[in-house]
Amino acid sequence: MRRIYIITGPAGVGKSTISKRLVEQFTQSAYIEGDLINHMIVGGYLPPWESEELLTLTWENIASLATNFLRANKDVVIDYIAYPEDVEKVIQKVRSERCQAKIFYVVLWVDHDELLRRDQLRDKQYQMGQRCLDLVKEFKSKQISERYYYHTNDVTATEVVEKIRKSGEFIVNEKIER
C-alpha cells in the first residue's frame, strides 16, 4: 500500500529538510512543496494566513496532486503547514478518488529558543521572525493529539527520517485524534 506523509510544524522546525530526505528514501516517490503550490497564484495573491479562499484552493490542489501521484504508484511527501482539518481534506480526497494509501501526519516541534535560532540561520529573505511564534500558537490552539508531535531538539535529521519511516504512531486512520 502506498503512503502519504504530511510533514508539518511551525516555520523553522525543519519541514523541508526532513521532507526532502524522507522522499529520497523511496524508489517511487513524489514531493509536494505546499509553498510552491500556494505561490502558483500570481494575480490576487495573498499569504495563506490572510486568505481562507486561497488556502482552501491550495489544499484542493495539494490533495489532487497527491491522489494523482498515488494512482501513478508513488509514495507522497507533503511539506506544508497542515492542521487537522487540512489532513482530513486529503483523507476525503483519497477516499473519493478510491485510492489506497496509509496517511501519516507528523508535526515537527522544537522549543522556543531553538525555533528562533533556526529561523535566524535562514537566508534573510526567508526568515519568518514573529510568524514562527504565531504558528506555534496556532498549532497549540488546534489541540492536536500529542502522538502526532515529534520533538526534534536533540535528534539528527537522519534519526527523524528513520523514526517517521519505521514508526506506525503517526498513521491517521479515519480522522485526526485530538
Side-chain angles (χ1 to χ4, degrees):
M1 181 177 290
R2 287 295 172 194
R3 297 160 288 219
I4 297 176
Y5 294 87
I6 301 171
I7 309 298
T8 192
V13 295
K15 291 183 299 297
S16 297
T17 299
I18 297 306
S19 295
K20 289 173 185 172
R21 288 193 184 185
L22 178 62
V23 79
E24 292 170 353
Q25 300 294 309
F26 306 107
T27 56
Q28 297 291 319
S29 61
Y31 173 57
I32 300 173
E33 188 174 352
D35 285 336
L36 290 178
I37 305 302
N38 175 262
H39 287 106
M40 288 178 159
I41 299 162
V42 178
Y45 175 81
L46 290 170
W49 58 91
E50 291 181 11
S51 173
E52 187 64 36
E53 178 185 352
L54 295 182
L55 182 59
T56 297
L57 178 60
T58 298
W59 273 105
E60 287 172 0
N61 287 324
I62 289 170
S64 291
L65 278 171
T67 57
N68 289 342
F69 287 129
L70 288 176
R71 280 195 297 277
N73 207 28
K74 309 288 185 219
D75 290 306
V76 179
V77 176
I78 299 168
D79 164 8
Y80 200 49
I81 300 295
Y83 300 117
E85 57 269 23
D86 305 315
V87 177
E88 289 175 14
K89 288 175 191 171
V90 173
I91 292 168
Q92 291 302 318
K93 181 68 172 178
V94 168
R95 189 177 295 136
S96 73
E97 295 288 326
R98 294 188 168 90
C99 294
Q100 294 287 320
K102 286 184 183 177
I103 299 175
F104 297 75
Y105 180 51
V106 183
V107 181
L108 300 177
W109 204 256
V110 294
D111 67 32
H112 178 272
D113 292 339
E114 179 65 10
L115 184 66
L116 294 177
R117 185 188 75 76
R118 290 182 186 183
D119 186 49
Q120 290 297 309
L121 293 175
R122 294 174 167 198
D123 288 339
K124 196 76 159 162
Q125 66 189 26
Y126 298 113
Q127 290 178 7
M128 298 293 284
Q130 183 60 41
R131 182 72 183 135
C132 294
L133 302 176
D134 293 344
L135 286 166
V136 166
K137 290 177 189 170
E138 228 173 303
F139 272 96
K140 286 181 178 179
S141 76
K142 299 293 182 174
Q143 300 178 329
I144 301 165
S145 172
E146 188 63 32
R147 82 179 195 88
Y148 298 114
Y149 282 84
Y150 188 16
H151 299 264
T152 65
N153 274 39
D154 301 316
V155 292
T156 66
T158 300
E159 291 170 320
V160 173
V161 169
E162 284 305 303
K163 170 83 172 190
I164 292 169
R165 279 191 63 224
K166 295 182 177 178
S167 174
E169 70 188 82
F170 302 110
I171 295 175
V172 177
N173 293 326
E174 295 298 310
K175 267 187 115 169
I176 295 288
E177 293 174 29
R178 295 194 189 236

